[in-house]
Amino acid sequence: MTLSGKTLTSRRIIILSLIVALAVVLHRLDALIPLPSPWIKLWLANVMTLVTLIFFGFRDALTVTLLRVVLGSIIGGTFLSPTFFLSLSGGVMSVFVMSWVYF
């Protein structure tokens, strides 16, 4: 791999890391917004998944979603709880639906 290839790979990893960090912040912010019922969410973090899907592709969008759900649930204290599995399944399904509609 050439020097420019390493630079592009490093830049890509840095950008995806920033997207994951912003998605985790939006994930936790979404949990703080009071809504009329507990099962309704705004899914603000899916905006970052959609951005990743458009600019980087399906594989990276799925990776961002998985990292967002895992890190957000660890920070929020819901790791491996029913809330975690609902968030994980909803996030993964939203990536599949977004990619199906986009492509």
Side-chain angles (χ1 to χ4, degrees):
M1 194 177 266
T2 64
L3 181 62
S4 63
K6 289 181 182 179
T7 304
L8 288 176
T9 303
S10 299
R11 182 174 291 162
R12 183 172 173 259
I13 290 171
I14 290 169
I15 291 171
L16 286 174
S17 300
L18 290 172
I19 289 173
V20 169
L22 187 56
V24 169
V25 168
L26 289 173
H27 180 82
R28 293 310 311 152
L29 182 68
D30 194 21
L32 295 175
I33 297 173
L35 294 170
S37 62
W39 57 86
I40 296 176
K41 292 183 106 181
L42 295 177
W43 290 100
L44 296 173
N46 279 341
V47 171
M48 299 315 297
T49 302
L50 186 59
V51 167
T52 307
L53 180 68
I54 292 169
F55 289 109
F56 292 101
F58 173 77
R59 185 176 179 184
D60 289 328
L62 189 62
T63 304
V64 166
T65 299
L66 292 174
L67 287 172
R68 170 191 46 101
V69 171
V70 170
L71 293 174
S73 66
I74 289 172
I75 291 170
T78 60
F79 188 62
L80 296 180
S81 70
T83 305
F84 166 75
F85 290 110
L86 286 172
S87 181
L88 182 66
S89 62
V92 169
M93 285 307 297
S94 69
V95 172
F96 282 112
V97 169
M98 282 189 277
S99 65
W100 178 69
V101 170
Y102 181 69
F103 296 118

